[in-house]
């Protein structure tokens, strides 16, 4: 067996009602908690009261939209002035990535651009983050167990990561109850992000035996649960399965990497106001088809082709399913969940060359099962528009 590494949050709590564990855990880690939330912070109110009762001062920091370098700079100054010694995120991927970045910057000197990949100076984060607790309220990003925070840099029109093993959360609390009220469109786009984050690590050039098991379990769960939460957002069993699958996706991508879909998501999200999950969903079926075609042409013996076959079986539930059945299943799910094409975000044919050039350099692209040439990358994007 090839050597591999696996790292994750120090502690993971999963299950309905686990939100109640956050305040006592925070009290063991600090006295002044920066509480990073999305734009609507209703649930954070419950958490803030529990924190206060546990002797921890909650310092609210709401974030609207996906986090930027500027937001993290401003938030770091604010949190340093407030003497925050623990950071808690409660929200979707944006709140979690923002909190994770802030916890890293509170533990290290300087500003985010000193450490940012691709567009920053890319210096290593030498010190660990201040203690960080992640509480996702969507089932999609898996960011509660990843070691990077994706930040937008409007000046460069791209997204790039702060990344360090020291950024892993001290505690990840995955309470499926928090996802019960998610709007339908968010359920769809975050759910398809979770599916992408299980498919890409499974066929990744960095896949390992531990993440393989997580991917197989997660893909099987999502195949049944995502159509169900789309039909009925109050289906507790299906919501719980989605939270579980999302967590498995985070564990997998953090240790096995991603691929072409996320390679495109970084520059598209940097240049256009498109939610990450919706972008991934629009690109996923076309990237899968292009990867399969390229593998058949240039690497017909590749193990990745057998993995695409396994994905088809897991998605359709049919042991005889062929790769094409899996591709069609994903495309049909995207239609059923009313995923708009990329044109809905103002992306057109004229944007293809620059997006392809940026995607080819994105860190996620390196783990794609086969190197795609610029014609193949352009083809994916043209079909996703
Ligand atoms: Zn993603």
């Amino acid at each position: 067996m090839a050597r591999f590494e696996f790292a994750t949050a120090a502690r993971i709590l999963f299950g309905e009602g686990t939100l109640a564990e956050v305040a006592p855990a925070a009290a063991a880690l600090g006295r002044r908690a920066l509480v990073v939330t999305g734009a609507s912070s209703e649930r954070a109110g419950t958490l803030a009261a529990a924190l206060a009762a546990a002797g921890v001062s909650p310092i609210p920091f709401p974030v609207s939209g996906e986090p930027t370098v500027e937001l993290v700079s401003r938030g770091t100054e604010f949190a340093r002035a407030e003497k925050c010694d623990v950071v808690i995120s409660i929200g979707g991927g944006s709140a979690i990535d923002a909190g994770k970045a802030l916890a890293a910057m509170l533990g290290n000197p300087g500003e985010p651009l000193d450490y940012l990949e691709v567009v920053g100076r890319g210096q290593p984060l030498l010190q660990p983050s201040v203690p960080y607790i992640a509480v996702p309220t969507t089932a999609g990003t898996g960011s509660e167990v990843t070691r990077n925070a994706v930040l937008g840099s409007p000046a460069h029109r791209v997204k790039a990561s702060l990344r360090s093993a020291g950024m892993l959360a001290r505690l990840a609390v995955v309470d499926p109850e928090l996802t019960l009220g998610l709007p339908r469109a968010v359920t769809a786009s975050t759910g398809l992000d979770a599916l992408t984050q299980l498919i890409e690590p499974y066929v990744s050039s960095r896949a390992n035996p531990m993440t393989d098991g997580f991917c197989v379990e997660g893909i099987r769960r999502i195949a049944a649960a995502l159509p169900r939460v789309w039909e009925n957002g109050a289906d507790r069993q299906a919501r719980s399965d989605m939270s579980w699958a999302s967590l498995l996706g985070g564990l997998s991508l953090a240790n096995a990497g991603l691929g072409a879909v996320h390679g495109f998501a970084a520059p598209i999200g940097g240049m256009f106001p498109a939610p990450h999950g919706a972008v991934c969903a629009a690109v996923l079926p076309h990237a899968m088809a292009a990867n399969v075609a390229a593998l058949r042409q240039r690497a017909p013996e590749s193990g990745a082709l057998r993995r695409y076959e396994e994905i088809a079986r897991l998605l359709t539930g049919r042991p005889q399913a062929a790769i094409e059945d899996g591709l069609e299943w994903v495309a049909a799910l995207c239609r059923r969940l009313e995923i708009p094409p990329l044109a809905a975000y103002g992306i057109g044919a004229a944007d293809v060359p620059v997006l392809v050039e940026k995607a080819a350099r994105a860190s996620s692209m390196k783990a794609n099962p086969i190197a795609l040439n610029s014609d193949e990358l352009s083809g994916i994007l043209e079909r996703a528009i």
Side-chain angles (χ1 to χ4, degrees):
M1 194 179 283
R3 62 175 282 178
F4 68 91
E5 177 188 335
F6 188 86
T8 193
R11 185 179 170 214
I12 298 170
L13 275 171
F14 182 93
E16 287 195 9
T18 48
L19 177 64
E21 308 288 328
V22 174
L29 296 170
R31 282 289 160 265
R32 294 180 63 77
L34 186 74
V35 181
V36 183
T37 65
S40 100
S41 52
E42 185 189 317
R43 277 193 198 91
T46 316
L47 176 60
L51 286 168
V56 178
S57 305
I59 321 288
F61 189 72
V63 169
S64 60
E66 297 181 357
T68 60
V69 175
E70 192 275 329
L71 174 111
V72 173
S73 289
R74 187 162 51 79
T76 305
E77 261 178 56
F78 172 74
R80 281 177 182 154
E82 290 284 349
K83 300 193 169 21
C84 295
D85 51 7
V86 55
V87 177
I88 305 172
S89 288
I90 178 164
S94 295
I96 292 186
D97 276 13
K100 202 190 295 175
L102 287 164
M105 292 310 302
L106 286 176
N108 286 272
E111 52 160 355
L113 275 177
D114 293 333
Y115 306 103
L116 201 66
E117 291 177 347
V118 187
V119 296
R121 287 177 277 284
Q123 293 171 10
L125 287 152
L126 295 175
Q127 302 301 320
S129 298
V130 301
Y132 174 60
I133 299 176
V135 188
T137 59
T138 63
T141 69
S143 181
E144 65 276 13
V145 289
T146 66
R147 67 189 93 177
N148 68 307
V150 182
L151 305 182
S153 173
H156 301 91
R157 299 191 78 199
V158 74
K159 283 182 174 179
S161 279
L162 290 179
R163 191 185 309 269
S164 160
M167 289 172 69
L168 286 165
R170 202 65 79 83
L171 171 65
V173 174
V174 183
D175 184 343
E177 233 169 38
L178 301 179
T179 68
L180 282 173
L182 276 184
R184 248 181 146 207
V186 179
T187 296
S189 63
T190 53
L192 283 162
D193 186 24
L195 178 61
T196 309
Q197 294 177 172
L198 289 156
I199 290 176
E200 292 207 296
Y202 190 53
V203 298
S204 156
S205 57
R206 292 171 45 209
N208 75 54
M210 238 170 123
T211 54
D212 286 349
F214 292 154
C215 292
V216 167
E217 162 73 0
I219 292 168
R220 187 189 291 124
R221 293 265 179 173
I222 281 200
L226 185 47
R228 278 172 58 194
V229 290
W230 170 255
E231 294 306 329
N232 174 16
D235 183 331
R236 283 175 175 265
Q237 184 56 54
R239 285 287 192 194
S240 182
D241 281 355
M242 287 304 300
S243 290
W244 170 225
S246 169
L247 172 61
L248 292 169
L251 294 171
S252 302
L253 81 89
N255 292 283
L258 290 160
V261 179
H262 281 81
F264 275 116
I268 291 173
M271 290 177 67
F272 298 90
H276 171 76
V279 171
C280 289
V283 176
L284 177 64
H286 310 294
M288 287 175 76
N291 275 344
V292 168
L295 285 162
R296 281 179 173 155
Q297 200 179 61
R298 300 198 287 281
E301 302 302 316
S302 166
L305 284 171
R306 282 190 295 283
R307 285 168 181 255
Y308 275 111
E309 234 168 60
E310 179 64 17
I311 290 168
R313 295 185 193 121
L314 292 166
L315 291 175
T316 61
R318 287 188 288 114
Q320 305 306 325
I323 291 179
E324 278 63 26
D325 300 322
L327 300 181
E328 178 44 40
W329 191 96
V330 172
L333 181 67
C334 289
R335 288 193 296 272
R336 182 169 168 193
L337 270 54
E338 298 167 14
I339 294 301
L342 294 177
Y345 307 105
I347 303 170
D351 303 307
V352 169
V354 64
L355 285 170
V356 164
E357 192 226 312
K358 287 182 174 182
R361 284 188 281 122
S363 55
S364 295
M365 195 62 87
K366 296 187 185 90
N368 201 57
I370 187 163
L372 298 174
N373 61 40
S374 62
D375 283 348
E376 289 164 334
L377 292 174
S378 301
I380 293 172
L381 201 49
E382 280 157 7
R383 282 186 280 278
I385 288 173

